[in-house]
Amino acid sequence: LKRLLTILLLTFCVTISAQTVRKYSNEFMNIGVDAAALGMSNAVTAYSHDVNSGYWNPAGLVNIEDKQMALMHSSYFANIASYDYAAFAMPLDNNSAIGISLIRFAVDDILNTTQLIDDDGNINYDRVSLFSTADYGVTFSYSRKLPIPGFNYGINAKVIRRVIGKFANSWGFGLDAAIQFETKNEWKFGLMARDITTTFNSWAIDEDEFAKVQDAVEGQNQELPETTELTIPKLQFGVAKKFIYRYDFSILAEVDLNIRFEQNNDIISTSFASITPSAGFEVGYIDMVYLRGGVGNFQNELQIDNSESLSFQPSIGLGFKYKGIQVDYAFTDIGDQSVALYSNVFSL
């Protein structure tokens, strides 16, 4: 084990020094899945225990008792972008489980106007074409109970595919690791480490297509962009507790801390790491009807007069479960409460 950790550490250090580290690489993998989780502002790291755990905390997959499947579709940015998700998970035995999930985030039918003006300087609309840009993420998950009572662990292996029309495309690979712990009095703790090996993306750029736009604007697009990038690790830590009231009612509450190893606009930000909290709740009735709410993504936003104001992202949601089928809805804003780009999200 020590030898393996040493090799991973050396690989990490060498790769970091040789590649380009991006603050916001593969961000489509951070939007979130499952309307139930989105309705709680993504504060589900500690309590997640179903097929969607492959995304939120793979350690939770070990809690499923039978095969499960999940589907989700949502539209963002006034229906410009489509986000689709599908997942499947199953137990292997009483102590382990596996899962697989697919995410697609795409903008279709984008106007390509790079050839709008012909060689004689005339505008020719027949030269306008359409293209699509799409990001794909396939995640393979494994979860297992540890010999220590209450402890589970999980790992993800991710394959990333990104396509920008015929201009460029990339392949990427990365790993996640996670744990969950439940105390005797049913407090739950979870830790999810995303991109622990810095997810690697390698881009291939069509140089013939690049040459067409290389001189379109003087002083811009003169050199090919970087062809490799790394996604820096992120941590999400959560604490959750579920309370039962008069047998028919349940109240689930969770608080998470989202940690990025960079300096940004999060409510707590240093040169080493930035932290923003999120909190969510779920009120259930006879384990059939659910009301959810949450708040997160607290940011210090710079105003036009150079002052700072605090922004945040509220969410609400509903759920209904009957005979093993659960339908969830969330009304959420993937930006902040001031932009009014709210989205309706459904999942099954």
Side-chain angles (χ1 to χ4, degrees):
L1 179 60
K2 289 183 177 179
R3 180 177 297 178
L4 177 60
L5 290 175
T6 301
I7 293 174
L8 287 175
L9 181 60
L10 288 174
T11 303
F12 171 82
C13 294
V14 171
T15 308
I16 282 288
S17 63
Q19 311 298 338
T20 302
V21 178
R22 304 288 188 191
K23 276 190 175 184
Y24 303 106
S25 173
N26 297 327
E27 282 297 294
F28 77 101
M29 294 293 288
N30 298 323
I31 292 176
V33 304
D34 180 29
L38 295 174
M40 296 176 62
S41 290
N42 304 344
V44 295
T45 305
Y47 194 79
S48 183
H49 62 290
D50 58 15
V51 61
N52 299 300
S53 297
Y55 179 90
W56 294 111
N57 188 329
L61 285 176
V62 77
N63 295 301
I64 64 174
E65 299 178 353
D66 203 350
K67 296 176 182 177
Q68 292 187 6
M69 184 177 180
L71 298 171
M72 188 189 90
H73 170 77
S74 61
S75 297
Y76 292 119
F77 310 118
N79 296 322
I80 295 175
S82 296
Y83 187 93
D84 298 289
Y85 161 77
F88 173 80
M90 59 179 288
L92 294 177
D93 50 43
N94 292 332
N95 296 313
S96 60
I98 58 172
I100 183 172
S101 62
L102 169 66
I103 292 174
R104 180 183 185 268
F105 185 61
V107 178
D108 297 311
D109 297 331
I110 303 171
L111 292 175
N112 178 9
T113 60
T114 59
Q115 302 302 305
L116 176 62
I117 301 176
D118 62 24
D119 295 336
D120 297 324
N122 300 314
I123 296 178
N124 185 353
Y125 291 102
D126 292 334
R127 295 166 63 90
V128 176
S129 59
L130 298 175
F131 71 97
S132 297
T133 175
D135 298 331
Y136 301 87
V138 179
T139 301
F140 303 92
S141 306
Y142 175 78
S143 175
R144 188 170 184 83
K145 293 181 180 179
L146 288 170
I148 306 171
F151 269 101
N152 309 325
Y153 76 89
I155 56 174
N156 286 337
K158 301 183 294 187
V159 179
I160 309 296
R161 175 66 170 166
R162 306 185 68 183
V163 180
I164 306 176
K166 57 185 178 180
F167 305 104
N169 64 84
S170 76
W171 287 96
F173 305 92
L175 296 174
D176 303 331
I179 57 172
Q180 279 185 341
F181 173 66
E182 183 175 1
T183 65
K184 293 182 180 179
N185 56 357
E186 298 183 341
W187 281 91
K188 294 189 175 184
F189 300 84
L191 178 65
M192 175 64 165
R194 300 183 185 275
D195 306 305
I196 56 171
T197 55
T198 63
T199 297
F200 172 84
N201 278 75
S202 178
W203 285 89
I205 300 172
D206 189 317
E207 295 190 18
D208 292 334
E209 292 296 326
F210 179 78
K212 296 177 182 179
V213 299
Q214 193 168 18
D215 297 317
V217 179
E218 186 178 354
Q220 297 184 19
N221 301 322
Q222 299 303 305
E223 297 181 1
L224 286 170
E226 294 281 350
T227 56
T228 59
E229 61 184 5
L230 296 175
T231 305
I232 60 178
K234 295 172 286 291
L235 295 178
Q236 189 168 358
F237 172 76
V239 181
K241 173 71 172 177
K242 189 173 186 178
F243 304 90
I244 305 298
Y245 179 71
R246 292 188 177 180
Y247 300 102
D248 291 337
F249 291 90
S250 64
I251 302 175
L252 167 66
E254 178 163 338
V255 176
D256 283 16
L257 294 177
N258 303 282
I259 306 168
R260 287 178 178 261
F261 295 98
E262 64 184 36
Q263 190 166 13
N264 54 31
N265 293 330
D266 286 350
I267 191 171
I268 301 173
S269 184
T270 68
S271 58
F272 173 71
S274 298
I275 303 173
T276 184
S278 60
F281 73 88
E282 176 189 83
V283 178
Y285 175 66
I286 62 174
D287 200 26
M288 181 182 292
V289 182
Y290 303 93
L291 172 66
R292 305 182 180 96
V295 62
N297 195 27
F298 291 87
Q299 301 282 307
N300 290 314
E301 290 192 350
L302 185 64
Q303 303 301 303
I304 193 170
D305 59 356
N306 290 325
S307 64
E308 288 188 348
S309 66
L310 181 64
S311 67
F312 56 89
Q313 172 187 326
S315 300
I316 58 173
L318 298 171
F320 179 78
K321 182 168 67 175
Y322 184 69
K323 291 186 177 180
I325 298 177
Q326 182 168 333
V327 179
D328 295 298
Y329 164 77
F331 185 61
T332 184
D333 174 8
I334 63 172
D336 60 71
Q337 91 292 349
S338 63
V339 182
L341 288 178
Y342 279 81
S343 299
N344 297 286
V345 182
F346 293 89
S347 66
L348 177 66

